[in-house]
Structures are given as structure tokens and as C-alpha cells.
């Protein structure tokens, strides 16, 4: 079994995700690129989850990047 440190290194994002307070409605709903806010069509790449809470409420947001920014995003999966 590999050390935990290596597992985290493999999932590190080459580009930091923005904070939840900086997202537009379309970005937080997964309809626009999380980096440039262009509408997503085909070829969107999942780049991670933006974690947020408000008391007991979990406000996590799935972050997606479009083909315009996918060269700097991690290719976890495509939409």
C-alpha cells in the first residue's frame, strides 16, 4: 500500500480552485467553467470539489473546467 503522502500528491490540482464566494451562479451550478466563466458544452473536465459550510449546512460545489481551460486542469473525468 502506497504512503498517504503519495496518494494526495496524485490528486493535487495544477491550478487552485476559486473560493465559493467568487463563483457566479452558473459556475456553482456546473453550467460554466470555474476558471473563466464561459458556458460549458462538451468536453468539460471535473477539476474537484470546492468545500464550504454554513453552520450545519454543507455547501460543497462540484467544479468543472471547459476545454478552454482543460490544459491546466486535472483530467479526472469528462462530462
Amino acid at each position: 500500500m502506497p504512503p498517504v503522502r503519495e496518494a494526495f500528491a496524485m490528486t493535487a490540482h495544477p491550478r487552485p480552485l476559486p473560493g465559493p464566494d467568487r463563483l457566479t451562479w452558473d459556475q456553482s451550478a456546473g453550467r460554466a467553467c470555474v476558471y473563466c466563466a464561459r458556458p460549458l458544452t462538451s468536453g468539460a473536465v471535473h477539476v474537484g470539489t470546492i468545500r464550504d459550510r454554513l453552520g450545519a449546512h454543507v455547501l460543497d460545489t462540484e467544479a468543472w473546467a471547459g476545454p478552454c481551460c482543460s490544459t491546466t486542469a486535472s483530467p479526472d473525468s469528462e462530462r
Side-chain angles (χ1 to χ4, degrees):
M1 186 162 110
V4 175
R5 173 179 259 170
E6 288 183 52
F8 284 115
M10 290 172 33
T11 59
H13 301 293
R15 193 168 171 185
L17 295 172
D21 57 332
R22 297 197 172 265
L23 298 178
T24 65
W25 187 90
D26 286 335
Q27 288 171 313
S28 63
R31 299 174 126 193
C33 176
V34 75
Y35 298 117
C36 69
R38 289 184 186 154
L40 295 176
T41 54
S42 61
V45 178
H46 183 256
V47 292
T49 303
I50 300 172
R51 306 276 180 205
D52 193 23
R53 292 186 78 105
L54 181 61
H57 304 284
V58 178
L59 304 173
D60 294 349
T61 302
E62 294 292 322
W64 294 87
C68 52
C69 300
S70 65
T71 57
T72 57
S74 64
D76 289 344
S77 63
E78 286 194 17
R79 219 183 209 189

